[in-house]
């Protein structure tokens, strides 16, 4: 091999630099922008003896406090990690006191900060198999949104099965699989106390179809069947108090009164039927 003269190499690098300089700049990343209520922190609010609402106005996060530590359910948007940690401290829960983290679904507006919270606390992240895949991918290759809603990837430490329970300090939370909004959507139910009486709490994932292709979806052809089964799952939940990840979803449109689990499923099924009719082009 013949050596390249230094002057020739310098000229080659100079011309290469000019060639790259002539190329247009790469595009900026597009931010995932949301309603401001999803980003506006709330003051922690007690729901029952052990259960607190934290997070933001539009997106719920729940904290279940026990003598043995705490459980966090959902977190909201990726930028909410520091807010969640501050809210927990306000309730007397230091980072090392958080034992378990779980969630309702694996979209970025609900699990966005879980990797950061897990890292800050050392808590065990509990998920199911379907959601764990999306968590590990940081929301990329979502069956509906592709790479539009990405977040820091999170590793699930424990995989639960339908009907399994997680327990801490006398609180027993049971998971109910309800695929539809996401393949790994979950509801969590537990019994707390309020005013000296048992209160059966159901934290139920979204049942909405925001922009979804419902008919002949190439990646999830039985999507509508999944929703139908999940409506029945939600109707059968033990449910004195319904809570939903999007604060307004579990309330009546008019007066804002809480829905029952059955009413929530019925309302969501009517919306699904209307969207199906629209996608089929029905006139009625």
């Amino acid at each position: 091999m013949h050596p390249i003269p230094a002057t020739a190499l310098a000229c080659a690098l100079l011309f290469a630099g000019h060639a790259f300089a002539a190329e247009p700049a790469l595009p900026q990343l597009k931010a995932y922008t949301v309603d401001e209520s999803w980003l506006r922190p709330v003051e922690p609010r007690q729901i029952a003896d052990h259960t607190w609402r934290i997070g933001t106005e539009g997106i719920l996060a729940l904290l279940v406090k026990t003598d043995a530590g705490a459980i966090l359910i959902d977190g909201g948007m990726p930028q909410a990690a520091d807010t969640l940690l501050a809210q927990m401290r306000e309730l007397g829960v230091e980072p090392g006191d958080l034992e378990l983290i779980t969630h309702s679904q694996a979209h970025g507006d609900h699990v966005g900060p879980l990797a950061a919270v897990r890292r800050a606390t050392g808590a065990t992240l509990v998920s199911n198999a379907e959601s764990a895949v999306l968590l590990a991918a940081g929301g990329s290759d979502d069956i509906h949104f592709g790479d539009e809603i990405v977040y820091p990837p999170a590793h699930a430490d424990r995989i639960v099965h339908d009907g399994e329970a997680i327990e801490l300090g006398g609180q027993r939370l049971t998971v109910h699989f309800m695929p539809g909004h996401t393949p790994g959507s979950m509801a969590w139910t537990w019994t707390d106390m309020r005013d000296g009486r048992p209160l059966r709490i159901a934290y139920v994932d979204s049942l909405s179809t925001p922009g979804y292709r419902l008919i002949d979806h190439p990646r999830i052809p039985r999507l509508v069947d999944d929703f139908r089964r999940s409506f029945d799952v939600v109707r059968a939940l033990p449910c004195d108090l319904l809570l939903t990840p999007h604060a307004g979803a579990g309330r009546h449109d008019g007066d804002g009164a809480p829905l029952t689990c059955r009413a929530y499923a019925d309302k969501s099924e009517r919306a699904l039927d209307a969207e199906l009719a629209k996608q089929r082009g029905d006139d009625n």
Side-chain angles (χ1 to χ4, degrees):
M1 179 180 292
H2 297 290
I4 301 174
T7 53
L9 180 60
C11 288
L13 292 174
L14 179 63
F15 284 122
H18 282 303
F20 280 113
E23 294 295 322
L26 296 174
Q28 295 284 351
L29 291 175
K30 293 182 180 179
Y32 173 41
T33 57
V34 297
D35 189 281
E36 283 193 3
S37 69
W38 296 16
L39 301 170
R40 191 177 297 118
V42 295
E43 285 295 320
R45 180 169 65 85
Q46 189 167 18
I47 293 170
D49 286 2
H50 296 278
T51 305
W52 294 76
R53 175 186 171 177
I54 57 176
T56 63
E57 287 180 8
I59 303 289
L60 264 68
L62 297 177
L63 189 70
V64 180
K65 294 174 55 181
T66 79
D67 292 339
I71 304 170
L72 175 67
I73 311 174
D74 277 348
M77 294 290 290
Q79 53 268 58
D82 289 342
T83 293
L84 293 170
L85 293 169
Q87 290 170 327
M88 286 189 278
R89 284 194 179 96
E90 187 177 340
L91 296 175
V93 177
E94 295 297 322
D97 298 329
L98 189 66
E99 295 290 337
L100 298 171
I101 303 170
T102 191
H103 60 91
S104 57
Q105 56 167 281
H107 281 163
D109 50 339
H110 303 285
V111 298
L114 296 195
V117 173
R118 175 178 176 266
R119 187 166 55 248
T121 63
T124 296
L125 177 54
V126 180
S127 187
N128 60 8
E130 287 280 6
S131 293
V133 173
L134 196 56
L135 284 170
S140 64
D141 194 30
D142 183 271
I143 61 171
H144 299 292
F145 300 118
D147 295 339
E148 292 180 12
I149 310 175
V150 294
Y151 51 86
H155 171 75
D157 303 295
R158 174 179 168 184
I159 300 297
V160 290
H161 300 277
D162 192 18
E164 190 174 349
I166 58 176
E167 298 186 58
L168 184 70
Q171 291 295 301
R172 178 183 175 89
L173 283 64
T174 301
V175 66
H176 309 263
F177 288 8
M178 46 172 294
H181 185 74
T182 71
S185 286
M186 296 179 281
W188 290 92
T189 61
W190 64 101
T191 300
D192 204 336
M193 300 290 291
R194 187 167 70 182
D195 299 327
R197 297 181 179 180
L199 180 70
R200 298 176 303 170
I201 298 173
Y203 184 59
V204 183
D205 193 20
S206 302
L207 288 167
S208 58
T209 62
Y212 291 3
R213 175 179 173 180
L214 298 176
I215 301 170
D216 298 328
H217 195 295
R219 294 186 62 185
I220 186 164
R222 297 183 179 85
L223 178 58
V224 173
D225 293 337
D226 285 345
F227 269 108
R228 300 286 188 204
R229 284 190 294 270
S230 293
F231 295 145
D232 288 337
V233 168
V234 173
R235 290 183 181 106
L237 293 174
C239 181
D240 297 325
L241 176 64
L242 168 68
L243 300 171
T244 55
H246 288 275
R251 295 183 173 274
H252 287 281
D253 294 332
D255 59 9
L259 293 168
T260 65
C261 283
R262 175 171 290 278
Y264 177 50
D266 291 346
K267 174 185 175 183
S268 300
E269 187 160 28
R270 289 192 297 270
L272 177 77
D273 289 337
E275 181 59 27
L276 275 171
K278 179 180 176 182
Q279 292 188 23
R280 290 182 181 129
D282 294 351
D283 294 330
N284 296 328

